[in-house]
Amino acid sequence: MDILQRPKTQSFPIPFFLRLYLSFSLLKAMNDLVHWRDPKKSGVVFGVSLLLLLSLAAFSVISVISYLLLALLCVTISFRIYKSVIQAVQKSNDGHPFKALMEKDVTVPPETFRKHVDACLTHVNRVLKQMSRLFLVEDLVDSLKLAVVMWLLTYVGAVFNGITILILADILLFSVPPVYEKNKTQIDHYIDIVRTQVNTTIAKLQEKLPGSMKRCKAE
């Protein structure tokens, strides 16, 4: 046996109920943020995300990242010098101020990396299968829906750029949920009316399509 060979360590996969609990906890935390359950946390997250997007709208991505890292370095270097001066004046031997953080393990375990890659691969395959179904016109109605959406997005792209859309999405993400929660009954009523009209229109369009292009009844 090769003495340099490392012993194999058995890896234990994360139980399904634990992964489900972590996903539920993440969704609950996100839901609490957008519904402003804790105004301080929601305000900080909303302010930081909006400031970051506004910075990206005014400067390049490289400039924004450089300024952020430079600001972080200024803070850590200033704090390091400050603690060194305090230790010299007080003649103490407290050591490096960031020692506790430096001793933490920041590496990504291979199991965690593979788990996230597998999860991303599942979503990618699902998207590829759906795109293939739409662009190869497996269902004419769904393909026509996609064509209408893409046509509308051409007008959206002519008015807004990507950063502007992200800024609007960030504002809507933190403003729509509280408004919906306060006016849920009225909003649901109008949504039901619109959904009924859309379903009626789609049904009429399907009746006018040739038989071979209609949706299968089983679907």
Side-chain angles (χ1 to χ4, degrees):
M1 180 178 179
D2 189 358
I3 59 174
L4 298 178
Q5 184 178 1
R6 294 183 178 180
K8 294 183 179 180
T9 57
Q10 185 178 4
S11 60
F12 297 93
I14 300 177
F16 172 75
F17 68 89
L18 181 57
R19 286 184 291 171
L20 187 63
Y21 172 76
L22 293 175
S23 301
F24 178 76
S25 300
L26 181 61
L27 290 175
K28 185 178 184 302
M30 188 62 187
N31 183 70
D32 291 341
L33 280 177
V34 298
H35 283 89
W36 296 80
R37 303 286 188 247
D38 188 341
K40 290 184 180 180
K41 289 183 180 180
S42 297
V44 169
V45 173
F46 176 60
V48 170
S49 61
L50 186 60
L51 179 62
L52 179 62
L53 290 174
L54 290 175
S55 300
L56 290 173
F59 307 100
S60 66
V61 176
I62 297 177
S63 297
V64 172
I65 295 176
S66 300
Y67 280 125
L68 288 176
L69 296 179
L70 182 60
L72 179 61
L73 273 175
C74 289
V75 172
T76 54
I77 292 173
S78 300
F79 185 73
R80 176 76 169 87
I81 296 174
Y82 168 76
K83 293 296 291 186
S84 298
V85 172
I86 294 297
Q87 291 177 17
V89 172
Q90 297 179 351
K91 297 181 179 180
S92 61
N93 191 17
D94 295 336
H96 199 287
F98 299 117
K99 183 179 180 180
L101 296 176
M102 293 170 62
E103 291 178 349
K104 287 187 176 181
D105 186 13
V106 295
T107 59
V108 179
E111 294 80 8
T112 303
F113 179 77
R114 284 194 292 267
K115 181 188 70 174
H116 290 293
V117 169
D118 292 340
C120 293
L121 184 61
T122 301
H123 293 294
V124 169
N125 289 334
R126 186 180 297 121
V127 170
L128 290 176
K129 184 177 181 180
Q130 185 70 10
M131 296 299 290
S132 174
R133 190 180 73 86
L134 291 172
F135 282 99
L136 297 179
V137 199
E138 179 181 333
D139 190 306
L140 181 60
V141 175
D142 287 343
S143 298
L144 289 175
K145 288 180 184 178
L146 178 63
V148 171
V149 172
M150 294 298 104
W151 177 69
L152 293 175
L153 286 178
T154 59
Y155 288 94
V156 174
V159 179
F160 305 105
N161 57 24
I163 294 296
T164 305
I165 294 176
L166 289 177
I167 292 173
L168 293 176
D170 187 52
I171 295 174
L172 292 175
L173 180 64
F174 282 90
S175 59
V176 170
V179 174
Y180 174 76
E181 196 172 30
K182 293 179 180 179
N183 306 277
K184 188 175 184 301
T185 305
Q186 296 90 334
I187 294 176
D188 286 343
H189 173 68
Y190 290 111
I191 290 177
D192 289 337
I193 294 176
V194 173
R195 184 184 294 117
T196 302
Q197 293 293 333
V198 170
N199 292 335
T200 303
T201 304
I202 292 176
K204 291 180 179 178
L205 289 175
Q206 290 178 346
E207 291 177 357
K208 295 180 180 180
L209 292 175
S212 59
M213 293 183 179
K214 289 184 180 180
R215 289 176 180 266
C216 296
K217 291 184 180 181
E219 298 179 355

